[in-house]
Amino acid sequence: AQSVTQLDSHVSVSEGTPVLLRCNYSSSYSPSLFWYVQHPNKGLQLLLKYTSAATLVKGINGFEAEFKKSETSFHLTKPSAHMSDAAEYFCVVSDGSSNTGKLIFGQGTTLQVKP
Amino acid sequence: EAQVTQNPRYLITVTGKKLTVTCSQNMNHEYMSWYRQDPGLGLRQIYYSMNVEVTDKGDVPEGYKVSRKEKRNFPLILESPSPNQTSLYFCASSVGTVFPITDTQYFGPGTRLTVL
């Protein structure tokens, strides 16, 4: 069965410092993995996705994530945080082991950026 | 403008009074899905649809119904709402239906439902 664990419910960084949001997944087959961002009182927007091509994926606004099969991880990083990055971030997995359109979301990580 | 619309955006109702939340997309997407968002639980998938007349359960389908009679519409029906269905609901759509899902989900603005 597929599952997603976001290891931190809340991350606080100072503006200009690196961001690391951690995500571990469980999947019995080659998954697709996504990161979505939700700004306060807004809908969700795709940041980036891994779909079995390059393992280092670049997304919007300077974010990137690396798919590590051996560690079953898909951590999200950004070299330098900006105040506008404050939001909630969701790691999402889609498992290809069965013919299912299910998407599993992590519990979310709230990123706080301090001036 | 390509978008997913939901109506109503806010709804306060009472236990047992049937309600429908509409979802419509104008992108000719095959895949549509409903989620509920609750604090500390992230988003949980309620139902999804791979195409017209094809629907399937997500992780939390109890108490909900859906239908997909047209490609663009995917209403969520609560036949007898209860207070534990108080939540923020999102509809989403994406292009295709290969497995695993690889396409970007486009989300609606959300519907905040309160059941008293």
Side-chain angles (χ1 to χ4, degrees):
Chain A
Q2 54 185 333
S3 66
V4 175
T5 302
Q6 291 183 240
L7 298 166
D8 307 290
S9 60
H10 188 97
V11 170
S12 182
V13 301
S14 296
E15 191 174 22
T17 64
V19 174
L20 170 64
L21 305 184
R22 299 182 294 165
C23 173
N24 281 28
Y25 70 93
S26 171
S27 173
S28 56
Y29 197 65
S30 295
S32 293
L33 293 156
F34 308 80
W35 276 100
Y36 282 86
V37 61
Q38 183 181 30
H39 290 279
N41 301 314
K42 295 284 176 76
L44 282 81
Q45 178 186 18
L46 180 73
L47 269 181
L48 49 81
K49 61 181 176 180
Y50 166 78
T51 58
S52 77
T55 56
L56 182 62
V57 181
K58 294 188 185 301
I60 62 171
N61 300 332
F63 284 94
E64 62 181 40
E66 186 170 8
F67 173 70
K68 291 187 176 180
K69 188 174 182 178
S70 60
E71 299 176 11
T72 61
S73 69
F74 190 57
H75 300 335
L76 182 70
T77 61
K78 183 174 180 177
S80 175
H82 192 273
M83 295 297 292
S84 61
D85 294 328
E88 189 157 21
Y89 292 79
F90 294 97
C91 184
V92 185
V93 65
S94 175
D95 192 335
S97 61
S98 59
N99 287 343
T100 171
K102 278 190 176 181
L103 288 167
I104 304 295
F105 282 68
Q107 298 92 331
T109 298
T110 300
L111 176 63
Q112 179 187 23
V113 182
K114 295 182 282 191
Chain B
E1 179 191 355
Q3 60 182 346
V4 178
T5 57
Q6 295 178 227
N7 282 293
R9 294 289 312 281
Y10 302 90
L11 179 59
I12 300 174
T13 189
V14 296
T15 299
K17 186 176 181 182
K18 182 180 178 179
L19 66 92
T20 300
V21 183
T22 64
C23 172
S24 184
Q25 50 93 4
N26 62 2
M27 296 170 278
N28 202 36
H29 285 170
E30 293 188 346
Y31 182 95
M32 296 187 75
S33 183
W34 277 103
Y35 304 89
R36 60 177 290 174
Q37 183 177 19
D38 302 290
L41 297 177
L43 274 78
R44 292 177 292 168
Q45 195 171 37
I46 303 170
Y47 271 96
Y48 63 92
S49 170
M50 307 295 278
N51 213 326
V52 175
E53 302 292 2
V54 181
T55 63
D56 210 345
K57 296 176 181 179
D59 281 333
V60 290
E62 294 78 19
Y64 304 94
K65 284 176 57 176
V66 292
S67 68
R68 188 91 182 271
K69 292 185 171 59
E70 308 164 276
K71 200 170 189 178
R72 64 184 291 127
N73 296 324
F74 191 46
L76 179 70
I77 304 155
L78 285 72
E79 298 230 324
S80 184
S82 63
N84 64 11
Q85 293 178 298
T86 292
S87 188
L88 179 59
Y89 291 85
F90 287 100
C91 180
S93 71
S94 63
V95 172
T97 54
V98 296
F99 303 111
I101 299 292
T102 59
D103 297 309
T104 301
Q105 297 284 302
Y106 292 88
F107 286 83
T111 295
R112 188 166 292 281
L113 172 65
T114 301
V115 183
L116 302 174

